[in-house]
């Protein structure tokens, strides 16, 4: 488009027409090449400004008629207006807004970015990146180790007899894991019925925790190994069905192919068997089954191999450049930020780069195996089996806290295992509530758990770890201190129920339970037997400030030879009689801790999160040894290491 200018008066030349708007940077002492025309008000210019073809070389006394010329491009306008800002400011009032004459804005000079919430959530620093940027040391495209092949249904009976009883429709795939998954070969995964489910925390709790009763009456014999108090069962959770469906939508997998049985070929490795032999495989599966059970698409940080595959199959040039950048030397900082920042899922990456649609077999080759999750038993299996009304059934119990992280869709993303178990719990609890409402309206009483059990909800599991430190070092007698925060207290419930069967052990066990608020998240309150109030000390991190030190209490001024840090902690104990965290209570209960750990058969157990709680308790135990044993810092640390090697100090943290 050409730009048209005209004036209402006739300047003598092009130099005159710009005489009042010359460049601010020009030399004011230099006389103009042409005399200035009559003073002209900018507001009188209605159609633009006069641009003449050439400048006059001598002064003229008479006015010329208004003339018009056309500037066909921005370079001509720039030549006429100069490189300064005065001409630009003059034209701002008459500009159409298309930015024809303005230099590119620095923010617009970079690479265009995908305009979607998933990409913005990545918060990538792409400063200086353009299509022309040279990228070096880019990760090579991984060799494809997985492929799909066609399969006739008749051949399933001939070549894959184990698959005869295994259905591949969507409903079955979402419940039953594939036969080729062997988390503890040669044994298969057992789908255990859910006997009961309930929420342990109250509305308003910072974290939700659920209790499950799992029916293992029909669990097969496995070499004489049995469920033990303090043991941990393995749960094989599927990916969220809604997420699996969305990933297939993003990849463009046709709906008629999603549940169609196919041959799966692998060249080497254990995938998708979890702990099978390292070898090539030919299996029967479906695309939905692969995404549901065998690949981790939510809990593992993205790798450079994943970005390289996404870049290879991105049709948009800008998306391809960004993805390639993330697996290059130049993008190392941005890549590290992605792995250490907010959690990112494969689903989000596919939404962030919508033009990338790799084949599912190429994607499977760069994703990690979806692994089992382990949960400690919160009961003594033998005690639970003796409960009234079980009619010979055998139950194991566990508590699960829901792990959540921020998602790009302004919601919360749950962990694979805890999210699956929460979905199971919601279905069970909803059925129970609906049955109670109907019974109330009709005037009859329902038996708890019956409505939920009618749903036939199942948890894929295996016996797991029955020789873990908590189970291995548990003793039926001897003094014991149990220190747990949050759901870390759950395995100690089984310890206590086992020990309290013997009345002589009631005064030999002490529990320090850390919570945030006793009204909201004190799990298993009132479920630890008749002596609960005597053996348990609850520590609330949201407790009020401690009262002042009583009058006449001895001071704790540092004595000669005292370590300053130790003296400060002694002072803190005197000034803070109400513990805020479990490590504070450990210091306050130093006498009991020191007595138990020095008893011939005494044991001290710690269970909970490593960050914060685990580290804090370890520091508190060192303080106890320094205070009660008159040890220096290094000797106190070695004291607890020796106790750990002897099986008296057991820490199970994550």
């Amino acid at each position: 488009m050409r730009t048209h200018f005209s004036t209402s008066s006739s300047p003598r030349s092009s130099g005159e027409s710009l005489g009042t708007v010359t460049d601010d940077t020009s030399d004011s002492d230099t006389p103009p090449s042409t005399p200035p025309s009559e003073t002209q008000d900018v507001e009188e210019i209605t159609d633009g400004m006069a641009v003449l073809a050439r400048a006059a070389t001598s002064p003229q006394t008479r006015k010329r008629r208004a003339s018009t010329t056309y500037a066909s491009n921005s370079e001509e306008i720039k030549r006429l207006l100069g490189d300064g800002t005065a001409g630009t400011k003059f034209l701002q009032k008459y500009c159409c807004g298309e930015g024809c004459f303005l230099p590119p804005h620095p923010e617009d000079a970079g690479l265009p970015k995908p305009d979607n919430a998933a990409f913005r959530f990545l918060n990538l620093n792409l400063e200086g990146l353009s299509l022309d940027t040279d990228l070096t040391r880019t990760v090579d495209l991984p060799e494809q180790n997985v492929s799909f092949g066609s399969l006739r249904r008749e051949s399933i009976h001939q070549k894959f007899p184990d698959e005869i009883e295994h259905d591949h429709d969507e409903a079955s795939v979402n419940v039953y894991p594939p036969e080729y998954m062997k988390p503890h070969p040669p044994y298969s995964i057992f789908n255990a019925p859910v006997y009961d489910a309930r929420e342990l925390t109250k509305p308003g709790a910072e974290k939700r925790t659920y209790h499950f009763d799992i029916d293992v009456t029909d669990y097969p014999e496995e070499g004489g190994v049995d469920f033990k108090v303090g043991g941990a069962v393995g749960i094989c959770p599927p990916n969220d069905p809604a997420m699996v469906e969305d990933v297939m939508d993003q990849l463009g997998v046709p709906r008629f192919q999603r549940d169609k049985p196919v041959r799966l070929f692998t060249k080497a490795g254990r995938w998708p068997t979890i702990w099978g032999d390292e070898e090539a495989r030919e299996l029967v599966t479906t695309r939905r089954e692969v995404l549901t059970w065998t690949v981790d698409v939510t809990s593992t940080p993205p790798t450079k191999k994943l970005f390289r595959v996404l870049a290879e199959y991105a049709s948009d040039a800008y998306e391809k450049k960004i993805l390639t950048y993330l697996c290059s030397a130049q993008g190392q900082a941005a890549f590290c930020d992605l792995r250490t920042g907010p959690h990112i899922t494969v689903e989000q990456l596919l939404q962030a780069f919508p033009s990338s649609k790799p084949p599912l077999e190429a994607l499977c080759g760069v994703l990690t195996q979806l692994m089992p999750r382990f949960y400690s038993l919160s009961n003594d299996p033998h005690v639970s089996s003796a409960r009234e009304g079980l009619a010979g059934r055998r139950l194991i119990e566990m508590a699960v806290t829901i792990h959540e992280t921020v998602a790009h869709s302004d919601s919360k993303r749950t962990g694979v295992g805890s999210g699956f178990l929460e979905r199971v719990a919601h279905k069970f609890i909803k059925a129970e509530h609906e049955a109670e409402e109907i019974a109330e309206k009709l005037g009859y009483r329902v038996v708890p758990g019956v409505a939920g059990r009618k749903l036939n909800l199942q948890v894929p599991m295996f016996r797991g770890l029955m020789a873990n430190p908590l189970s291995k070092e548990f003793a039926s007698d001897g003094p014991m201190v149990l220190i747990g925060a949050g759901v870390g207290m759950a395995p100690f419930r089984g310890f206590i129920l086992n020990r309290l069967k013997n009345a002589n052990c009631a005064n030999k066990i002490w529990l320090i339970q850390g919570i945030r608020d006793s009204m909201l998240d004190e799990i298993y309150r009132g479920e630890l037997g008749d002596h609960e109030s005597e053996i348990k000390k609850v520590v609330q991190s949201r407790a009020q400030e401690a009262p002042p030190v009583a009058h006449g209490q001895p001071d704790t001024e540092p004595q000669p030879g005292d370590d300053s840090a130790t003296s400060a902690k002694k002072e803190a104990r005197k000034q803070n009689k109400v513990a805020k965290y479990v490590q504070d209570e450990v210091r306050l209960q130093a006498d009991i801790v020191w007595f138990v750990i020095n008893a011939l058969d005494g044991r001290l157990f710690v269970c909970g999160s490593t960050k914060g709680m685990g580290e804090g308790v370890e520091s508190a135990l060192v303080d106890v040894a320094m205070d009660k044993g008159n040890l220096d810092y290094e000797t106190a640390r070695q004291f607890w290491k020796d106790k750990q090697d002897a099986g008296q100090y057991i820490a199970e943290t994550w």
Side-chain angles (χ1 to χ4, degrees), residues 563-577:
D563 179 83
S564 58
T566 304
S567 299
K569 288 173 180 175
K570 289 180 180 179
E571 176 68 20
R573 290 200 297 271
K574 293 295 185 182
Q575 297 295 333
N576 188 12
K577 287 300 182 180

Side-chain angles (χ1 to χ4, degrees), residues 10-33:
S10 176
R12 297 177 183 271
S13 66
S14 60
E16 291 179 49
S17 66
L18 299 177
T20 59
V21 288
T22 55
D23 192 326
D24 294 339
T25 61
S26 63
D27 189 352
S28 59
D29 296 330
T30 303
S33 59

Side-chain angles (χ1 to χ4, degrees), residues 183-184 231-237 275 371-377 398-400 417 421 462-466 468 652 654:
H184 59 151
V233 294
I235 303 296
C236 294
W275 288 316
M371 299 299 290
R373 272 57 176 169
F374 291 90
Y375 298 95
S376 297
L377 298 183
M398 64 183 186
V400 179
L421 291 170
F462 57 99
R463 199 181 304 274
L465 306 174
M466 293 300 133
N468 60 321
E652 188 82 358
W654 55 85

